[in-house]
Amino acid sequence: QVQLVESGGGLVQAGASLRLSCAASGRTFSSYAMGWFRQAPGKEREMVATITSGGSTNYADSLKGRFTISRDNAENTMYLQMNNLRPEDTAVYYCHAKGRVINVEGAKAPDSWGQGTQVTVSS
């Protein structure tokens, strides 16, 4: 497991940009597949973007072109650059680290989640 702390959320107007940060503890941050998820009131938690330990990225189709996920392994930090924010982007954004595989049969350690950071976009 890795401990995760998000920051960078806030209240902004539509069209503004925010950069979320996820600071991770531990000495093996670079080995974790990670991602950003979000959950709006009354909605299911949804995947925003993921990034593998090797830096390969994947995005929710609706967010491609506006959001960019990245990681700085030297700083044990993952980022989500959010541009052209819309009111429908309002949600709590969570940092996630996929549990590491612990044996050759595929058993995994528990996933890790941050506490979340609120992003509110006004029209």
Side-chain angles (χ1 to χ4, degrees), residues 51-66:
I51 185 166
T52 69
S53 60
S56 297
T57 59
N58 189 44
Y59 298 89
D61 288 341
S62 63
L63 302 177
K64 289 181 179 178
R66 294 196 298 120

Side-chain angles (χ1 to χ4, degrees), residues 12 18 23 34 39 48 50 54 57 60 62 65 71 77 89 94 108:
V12 299
L18 283 173
M34 301 188 67
Q39 188 166 20
V48 174
T50 61
T57 59
S62 63
R71 66 194 297 167
T77 304
D89 295 320
Y94 296 92
K108 297 180 179 180

